[in-house]
């Protein structure tokens, strides 16, 4: 019996942990072939590839981001290979099971909930030609009727086999994200999240996890992401794992965690700030909303004061990058309230701030209460909201505009000094900048076309020209600084029209030649590998103090061909 487990990942760099657990658990009785695609792959290409492998059973791992494409694949497969047995599982099909059986009759079996043991029992029954109707956690059609069996009892995770010891995975470890789970379940009850449905937290064997991590690092894994819903729910467990990773990590590996920031003790952060190598860890923190009443409505416990303390301490340590999440569209959070939430969180200056939109996931408490809050949402996955009783579709459109430019201009860190100056000096709040610019971006039609790096600078400058600020020369200088310092080589055509007079440039080079301690280059090297721009203030002074001291200053950027990095130098110059 030829068995394939597959899924459609959101991106090529992702890997699916679920199908690897299925394969590991099915061994040695069954040899499962793993095949992964992405949601961008043409459906017919996926069908063709699966068909050519001649499987008897195919298991699909289903999520909100891939369910619709998965259905298309399954329906086409059944047309060209009618005898293949289709098994689906995963969070997207584990709820409203009757709906899925009716909507997609091509699904032969649905595995509900935790699937390792259920899937193996199903394979055993299929191989022996036995009845599957009594297998816990299985749903199917029999004699024209839907059979939906309750989920089985939770498994003992300590006995789970490793999902990482497959030789075929080794060549891909350095190129893709490796997902690791050390626990299942969540202690919290947030009503918009599927994790709230499972009561309690169960842990895998700690020493086995450590052995897996050693194996992964030894074989080239570069990004290892822990999928535990709250990695730090047990302080002792988290501290032990942090210490292990600090002691035994391989240089160049990055570990990512989802943490609950308001329960993290200061002494843990202090330990990480003192002991963790810079760049080893990365934290993802779900803030969602800073409105206490909104959080109560979704049964979310959060102390924003303590969360702020954690994020601030981590940021001050300078060792760990932080990614903070917001959710627009939670019950009773209108546009004005969300604006405050955004500004509250942006004030922490996280390295990344993600603005997401509420998705009414099947099985969640909030979906069951959708009518109570006037939710209107997409009928098909990802079930994103379109409006509710306090947030109109017009509001949603405006927040989408914010999301678009936030990703391009803050999270990508192309112009950090520029954006910091803009949100601090030119607008009442950071949200107001991103909203104003996002609306302008949308009105120009830029959301529908591509862009290169230079386009991003030109478009921001075009927007700033519309707000009639006296600070435009300052912002323009900061934009040039941000652009040049992030280049590896002298740009052939920067985003601005070069205005520096050649006589001024020659004067700057003459002044440089008198200060060889500053930058010692030949005349030929200066002209070939440097850019000179005159700016109207003392930029080094500003970078240190955040205060503007106006003067005529030359910014010289040298593109070092040995290090492939830009070096910036400044000279106060009398241009008269």
């Amino acid at each position: 019996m030829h068995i394939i487990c597959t899924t459609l990942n959101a991106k090529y760099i992702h890997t699916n942990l679920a199908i690897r657990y299925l394969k590991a658990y099915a061994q040695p009785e069954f040899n499962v072939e793993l095949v992964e695609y992405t949601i961008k792959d043409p459906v017919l290409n996926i069908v063709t590839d699966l068909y050519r492998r001649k499987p008897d059973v195919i298991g699909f791992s289903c999520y909100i981001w891939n369910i619709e494409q998965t259905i298309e694949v399954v329906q086409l497969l059944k047309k060209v290979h009618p005898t293949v047995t289709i098994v689906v599982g995963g969070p997207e099909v584990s709820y409203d099971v009757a709906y899925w059986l009716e909507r997609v009759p091509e699904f032969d079996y649905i595995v509900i909930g935790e699937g390792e043991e259920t899937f193996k029992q199903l394979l055993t029954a299929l191989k022996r030609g036995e009845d599957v109707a009594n297998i816990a956690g299985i749903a199917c059609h029999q004699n024209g009727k839907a059979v939906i069996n309750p989920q089985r009892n939770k498994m003992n995770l300590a006995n789970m086999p490793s999902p990482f010891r497959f030789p075929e995975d080794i060549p891909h470890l350095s190129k893709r994200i490796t997902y690791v789970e050390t626990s299942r379940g969540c202690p919290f009850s947030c009503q918009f999240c599927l994790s709230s449905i499972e009561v309690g937290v169960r842990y895998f064997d700690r020493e086995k996890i450590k052995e897996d991590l050693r194996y992964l690092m030894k074989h080239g894994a570069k990004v290892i992401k822990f999928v535990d819903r709250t990695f730090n729910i047990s302080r002792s467990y988290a501290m032990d794992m942090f210490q292990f990773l600090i002691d035994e990590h391989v240089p160049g590996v990055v570990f990512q965690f989802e943490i609950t920031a308001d329960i993290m003790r200061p002494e843990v952060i202090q330990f990480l700030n003192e002991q963790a190598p810079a760049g080893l860890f990365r934290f993802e923190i779900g803030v969602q909303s800073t409105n206490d009443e909104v959080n109560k409505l979704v049964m979310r416990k959060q102390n924003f004061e303590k969360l702020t303390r954690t994020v601030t301490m981590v940021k001050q340590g300078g060792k760990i990058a932080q990614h903070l999440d917001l959710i627009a569209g939670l019950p009773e959070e209108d546009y004005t309230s969300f604006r405050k939430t955004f500004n509250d969180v942006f004030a922490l200056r996280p390295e990344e701030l993600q603005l997401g939109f509420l998705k009414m996931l099947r099985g969640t408490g909030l979906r069951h209460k959708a009518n109570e809050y006037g939710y209107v949402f997409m009928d098909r996955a990802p079930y994103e909201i379109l409006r509710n009783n306090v947030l109109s579709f017009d509001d949603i459109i405006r927040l989408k505009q914010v999301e678009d430019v936030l990703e391009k201009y803050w999270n990508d860190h192309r112009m950090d000094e520029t954006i910091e100056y803009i949100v601090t000096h030119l607008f009442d709040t950071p949200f107001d900048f991103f909203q104003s610019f996002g609306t302008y971006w949308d009105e120009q039609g830029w959301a529908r076309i591509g862009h290169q790096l230079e386009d991003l600078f030109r478009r921001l400058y075009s927007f700033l020209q519309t707000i009639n600020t006296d600070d435009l020369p300052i912002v323009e200088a900061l934009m040039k600084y941000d652009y040049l310092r992030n280049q590896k080589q002298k740009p052939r055509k920067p985003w601005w029209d070069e205005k520096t007079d050649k006589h001024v440039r020659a004067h700057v080079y003459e002044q440089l030649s008198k200060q060889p301690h500053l930058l010692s280059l030949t005349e030929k090297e200066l002209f070939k590998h440097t850019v000179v721009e005159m700016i109207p203030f003392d930029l080094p002074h500003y970078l240190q103090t955040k205060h503007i001291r106006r003067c005529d200053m030359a910014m010289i950027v040298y593109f070092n061909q040995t290090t492939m990095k830009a070096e910036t130098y400044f000279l106060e110059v009398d241009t008269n």
Side-chain angles (χ1 to χ4, degrees), residues 399-410:
L399 293 176
K400 290 278 187 183
Q401 295 167 345
V402 173
E403 177 196 28
D404 193 10
V405 293
L406 178 71
E407 190 65 31
K408 293 178 175 69
Y409 286 86
W410 179 257

Side-chain angles (χ1 to χ4, degrees), residues 215-402:
Y215 173 90
L216 291 168
M217 289 188 287
K218 178 182 177 182
H219 289 90
K222 297 298 183 187
V223 179
I224 297 175
K225 183 172 181 178
F226 290 80
V227 297
D228 306 64
R229 301 309 300 169
T230 303
F231 184 81
N232 62 316
I233 188 63
S234 166
R235 177 179 174 275
S236 61
Y237 183 84
M239 284 292 287
D240 180 62
M241 291 301 293
F242 286 146
Q243 185 69 67
F244 165 76
L245 296 173
I246 290 169
D247 291 342
E248 299 198 27
H249 75 277
V250 173
V253 180
V254 177
F255 298 94
Q256 301 182 14
F257 310 89
E258 292 187 34
I259 69 161
T260 299
D262 60 349
I263 65 170
M264 200 165 208
R265 295 183 182 179
E267 56 266 31
V268 175
I269 306 168
Q270 185 175 351
F271 163 78
L272 293 174
N273 285 344
E274 292 173 354
Q275 301 296 324
L280 180 64
F281 297 145
R282 173 184 170 88
F283 287 166
E284 297 184 17
I285 300 169
V287 183
Q288 322 313 5
S289 175
T290 62
N291 185 318
D292 290 338
E293 294 305 312
V294 169
N295 284 326
K296 286 179 184 177
L297 291 174
V298 293
M299 299 175 64
R300 179 174 177 77
K301 296 179 180 179
Q302 180 170 271
N303 185 319
F304 187 64
E305 183 179 345
K306 289 183 178 180
L307 183 150
T308 298
R309 179 191 66 191
T310 293
V311 173
T312 302
M313 284 186 67
V314 170
K315 190 170 183 65
Q316 288 172 345
K319 299 284 191 72
I320 301 170
Q322 298 178 97
H323 171 113
L324 273 56
D325 289 325
L326 304 178
I327 296 180
L330 292 173
E332 304 302 330
E333 177 133 79
D334 60 14
Y335 181 86
T336 301
S337 172
F338 186 79
R339 174 179 179 268
K340 181 180 183 303
T341 282
F342 183 99
N343 287 324
D344 287 342
V345 178
F346 194 86
L348 303 177
R349 298 300 193 267
E351 283 74 18
E352 290 183 11
L353 177 59
Q354 182 174 331
L355 197 174
F357 292 80
L358 180 65
K359 295 169 178 60
M360 305 296 281
L361 303 179
R362 294 180 182 276
T364 59
L366 196 53
R367 181 165 175 138
H368 293 309
K369 291 185 175 182
N371 290 336
E372 183 177 333
Y373 301 107
Y375 279 110
V376 176
F377 55 94
M378 299 174 181
D379 294 329
R380 301 280 174 91
Y383 315 115
E384 193 168 288
I385 70 156
L386 303 172
R387 69 171 189 265
N388 63 20
N389 59 346
V390 298
L391 202 67
S392 68
F393 188 54
D394 284 325
D395 294 331
I396 295 287
I397 292 172
R398 294 172 70 195
L399 293 176
K400 290 278 187 183
Q401 295 167 345
V402 173

Side-chain angles (χ1 to χ4, degrees), residues 1 56-62 74 78 83-90 93-94 97 100-101 104-112 118-119 121-123 125-127 129-135 137-142 145 147-149:
M1 189 164 67
D56 300 299
V57 178
I58 306 180
F60 288 87
S61 190
C62 301
V74 167
K78 279 293 193 177
T83 59
V84 70
T85 298
I86 301 294
V87 185
V88 295
V93 294
S94 288
V97 178
W100 291 115
L101 286 174
V104 193
E106 292 85 357
F107 290 169
D108 294 307
Y109 302 100
I110 297 177
V111 173
I112 306 169
T118 300
F119 185 63
Q121 285 191 8
L122 174 62
L123 294 177
L126 292 174
K127 183 178 181 180
E130 297 174 350
D131 187 13
V132 302
N134 295 321
I135 297 176
I138 282 290
C140 60
H141 281 109
Q142 281 201 339
K145 294 184 179 180
V147 175
I148 303 175
N149 295 332

Side-chain angles (χ1 to χ4, degrees), residues 465-491:
Q465 288 177 308
T466 69
I467 65 173
N468 298 318
T469 173
D470 293 335
D471 285 352
L472 187 58
I474 293 173
V475 180
E476 181 180 4
L478 289 170
M479 290 175 70
K480 291 177 180 179
Y481 170 71
D482 278 332
Y483 174 79
L484 291 170
R485 71 191 177 108
N486 289 315
Q487 303 290 318
K488 293 181 179 179
Q489 294 184 335
K490 182 177 178 178

Side-chain angles (χ1 to χ4, degrees), residues 536-574:
F537 67 105
D538 186 339
L539 183 50
H541 177 75
Y542 169 78
L543 294 175
Q544 284 189 336
T545 67
K546 297 305 176 186
H547 292 124
I548 297 293
R549 184 177 76 85
R550 294 186 181 272
C551 64
D552 290 326
M553 179 158 284
M555 175 172 65
I556 306 102
V557 183
Y558 166 52
F559 299 93
N560 190 317
Q561 299 305 289
T562 302
T563 63
M564 298 304 291
K565 292 182 179 180
E567 301 172 6
T568 54
Y569 302 89
F570 300 91
L571 282 176
E572 193 167 341
V573 178
D574 183 1

